[in-house]
Amino acid sequence: MAQTHRLRRRLRSRQLTMIGIGGAIGTGLFLGSSLAISHAGPAVVLAYVLCGLVALVISWALAEMVVVHPAAGAFGSIAQKYLGVGSGFVVRWAYWAMQVIAVGGETIAAGVYVQYWWPRIPLWLPVAVFSLLVIAVNAAAVHVFGEFEYWFSMIKVCAILVFVVLGLVLVFFGLPHAPATGTANLTTGGGFLPNGVSGLLLAMVFVLFSYIGTEVVSVTAAESENPARDVPRAARAMVLRLGLFYVAAMLVVVLVVPWTVTSAGGSITASPFVRVFTSAGVPAAATVMNFVVLTAALSSANTNLYLTTRMLHSLAEHRFAPAWAGRLTRAGVPRNALVLSTAGLVIATVLSKNSESGAYLVLFGISIFAAMVVWMIILVTHLAFRIRRRRAGLPPSPVRLRGAPVVNVVVIAFLATVLVSTFWIDGLDPAWKFGIPFFVLLVAAYQVLRLTGRSRHAHEADLEDSTLTAREESP
């Protein structure tokens, strides 16, 4: 091992749930949903339901494994145990890179939202300030991070709840300055499914990205006060609430605003959330909404930086990253791993000074490709987990994914279809152009480590952990 110190178990169940919600609800719901609506029309609600079920399967598969193995690195460490050292290396580095890119993207978005109030301010300035803020929060003890993220996420949750309530009142009863819209918008502009089934399938590609981040609960297991109790509870609550928020919010959007109007949105003032708040007579609705999306972006950046730090700490423990990256402070924070994980923030600051740079397109492609591959590896790991434990005569996990292994195969096929479809979707084709070379590079890097003998240490540590697990869990 790179070091003998362990992460502190200081995160509570309520914090785990809100961290999961915070990692998944970014700016996509408030602004980016217009892209999915442009393809599916009112049927976008079905897309959010189906993709929510996919996220639920993945979260529950993770919960089943993490309850048995609440280790640092979560699904990366578990993949190493059940699929081999190479899989553990590739999935953790891929996830680290994916989230590093996401951190940078969210801080750039936060900087753009600040420019709504002060358009003359240079973009790099708020990006740099927000970068320092999320670094400071992550450098504190984990319970401080958990509490900070709890209240950050609460702002988003409250905004969505208020939006849904006001929207439903506007739909069925009307407001003083706005008559009831009724349900007519569900069928106007070409009907409920204006672009057919193909439009719904294309929308699901974009909707699926809205649920990326739900795996954060499994990463927090190593710092949970009681992972056997809290992780399954948090995973279930997080996915169900997330699905409810997304589905209810999208239903209100397509009921209140014609989908042909919403699909042309993209700015704060064009956001359907602003339209509902304006109709409800909320003063300065655009300003209020801008504050909400700003906190949404910062919350996601904060959580994603936490994820990258813990994943890099896990890599260091297995000697797949510099040993010093695994060292902890007295407060139990892998601060050196945090420093390395700020790469996305540095890139974001640099790119914000040169908006014409094509570098972010490369990073975006890697991020999309990595997300789909990581989810598929998680489901394959779960299949191996079930088989290995059954053959070893070990008791089943106290948490069980219903429908496995059939649902695993179905979801893997769905994710593979989504990944392949990005090749023909304008704006998403960088996923293949840059994603495949990135994974080839990761595999090559692992082969170099294997030839130099460094992977042997990880294999030996893995065998030791497996022996202890079997000894402790055997009936």
Side-chain angles (χ1 to χ4, degrees):
M1 295 287 183
Q3 45 87 33
T4 57
H5 300 290
R6 297 298 181 203
L7 297 169
R8 307 285 180 83
R9 296 191 179 277
R10 299 283 181 84
L11 290 177
R12 300 173 181 175
S13 179
R14 68 179 181 86
Q15 293 174 326
L16 296 187
T17 302
M18 296 305 288
I19 288 172
I21 292 175
I25 300 181
T27 56
L29 174 64
F30 300 104
L31 295 176
S33 55
S34 60
L35 194 57
I37 294 173
S38 68
H39 289 287
V44 72
V45 176
L46 294 180
Y48 275 95
V49 171
L50 294 173
C51 290
L53 293 176
V54 170
L56 181 61
V57 168
I58 293 170
S59 297
W60 212 243
L62 278 170
E64 179 176 336
M65 296 186 291
V66 168
V67 165
V68 177
H69 304 293
F75 51 84
S77 298
I78 299 172
Q80 177 170 313
K81 185 180 296 293
Y82 291 97
L83 299 181
V85 178
S87 297
F89 173 88
V90 171
V91 73
R92 276 179 286 186
W93 272 117
Y95 193 75
W96 180 85
M98 176 186 82
Q99 293 294 4
V100 160
I101 296 166
V103 172
E106 293 291 359
T107 54
I108 288 178
V112 172
Y113 302 144
V114 169
Q115 287 185 320
Y116 172 80
W117 290 311
W118 299 289
R120 294 186 178 181
I121 192 172
L123 181 59
W124 67 266
L125 183 58
V127 170
V129 171
F130 291 141
S131 296
L132 292 175
L133 172 64
V134 295
I135 290 172
V137 172
N138 275 267
V142 69
H143 68 277
V144 175
F145 160 81
E147 198 64 20
F148 189 91
E149 185 56 34
Y150 177 86
W151 291 108
F152 242 7
S153 298
M154 187 64 74
I155 294 175
K156 292 188 285 189
V157 170
C158 290
I160 295 172
L161 289 176
V162 171
F163 169 77
V164 169
V165 172
L166 286 177
L168 292 177
V169 170
L170 182 58
V171 169
F172 295 106
F173 304 103
L175 292 164
H177 303 289
T181 61
T183 59
N185 284 330
L186 288 178
T187 55
T188 56
F192 183 71
L193 200 63
N195 296 319
V197 176
S198 61
L200 176 63
L201 294 176
L202 282 175
M204 290 175 68
V205 175
F206 298 99
V207 171
L208 195 62
F209 298 143
S210 300
Y211 287 96
I212 292 174
T214 53
E215 65 284 336
V216 62
V217 172
S218 71
V219 181
T220 63
E223 294 174 277
S224 169
E225 289 182 341
N226 188 338
R229 179 199 66 197
D230 294 341
V231 170
R233 180 188 300 172
R236 179 174 58 250
M238 180 266 298
V239 174
L240 291 179
R241 291 176 188 175
L242 194 62
L244 178 62
F245 293 156
Y246 277 143
V247 173
M250 284 302 102
L251 181 59
V252 168
V253 166
V254 297
L255 283 171
V256 173
V257 185
W259 75 271
T260 52
V261 176
T262 306
S263 62
S267 65
I268 289 293
T269 53
S271 168
F273 282 75
V274 173
R275 292 176 183 272
V276 171
F277 287 148
T278 301
S279 299
V282 176
T287 296
V288 172
M289 201 64 238
N290 195 57
F291 172 75
V292 172
V293 295
L294 174 60
T295 56
L298 292 177
S299 172
S300 293
N302 191 42
T303 299
N304 290 335
L305 185 57
Y306 168 87
L307 291 173
T308 58
T309 301
R310 269 53 184 183
M311 202 58 67
L312 188 56
H313 169 264
S314 173
L315 285 162
E317 278 196 320
H318 290 96
R319 300 192 180 185
F320 287 148
W324 54 266
R327 299 188 188 120
L328 305 178
T329 64
R330 291 183 178 181
V333 177
R335 193 165 292 172
N336 293 334
L338 173 62
V339 172
L340 289 178
S341 297
T342 59
L345 297 172
V346 175
I347 293 173
T349 304
V350 172
L351 291 181
S352 63
K353 295 191 68 174
N354 180 19
S355 59
E356 300 301 320
S357 173
Y360 198 75
L361 189 63
V362 177
L363 299 179
F364 178 70
I366 292 173
S367 180
I368 291 176
F369 196 92
M372 295 296 99
V373 172
V374 166
W375 274 16
M376 286 188 281
I377 291 177
I378 288 172
L379 292 172
V380 172
T381 303
H382 179 258
L383 291 173
F385 170 84
R386 283 274 187 98
I387 294 171
R388 286 268 299 275
R389 289 183 65 80
R390 184 170 61 250
R391 289 177 178 175
L394 295 174
S397 170
V399 178
R400 301 277 287 178
L401 170 63
R402 296 182 180 180
V406 176
V407 294
N408 295 62
V409 176
V410 171
V411 173
I412 289 172
F414 171 74
L415 293 174
T417 302
V418 169
L419 186 57
V420 171
S421 68
T422 60
F423 188 80
W424 292 280
I425 299 177
D426 291 339
L428 294 184
D429 54 300
W432 285 93
K433 291 179 181 178
F434 307 114
I436 291 179
F438 174 70
F439 271 87
V440 170
L441 181 62
L442 283 182
V443 172
Y446 170 71
Q447 293 302 324
V448 171
L449 290 178
R450 188 176 65 83
L451 292 175
T452 57
R454 292 196 67 177
S455 65
R456 178 174 55 83
H457 300 288
H459 180 65
E460 291 172 351
D462 195 43
L463 288 176
E464 181 182 350
D465 290 344
S466 297
T467 302
L468 289 174
T469 300
R471 188 181 305 156
E472 292 170 358
E473 297 178 357
S474 58

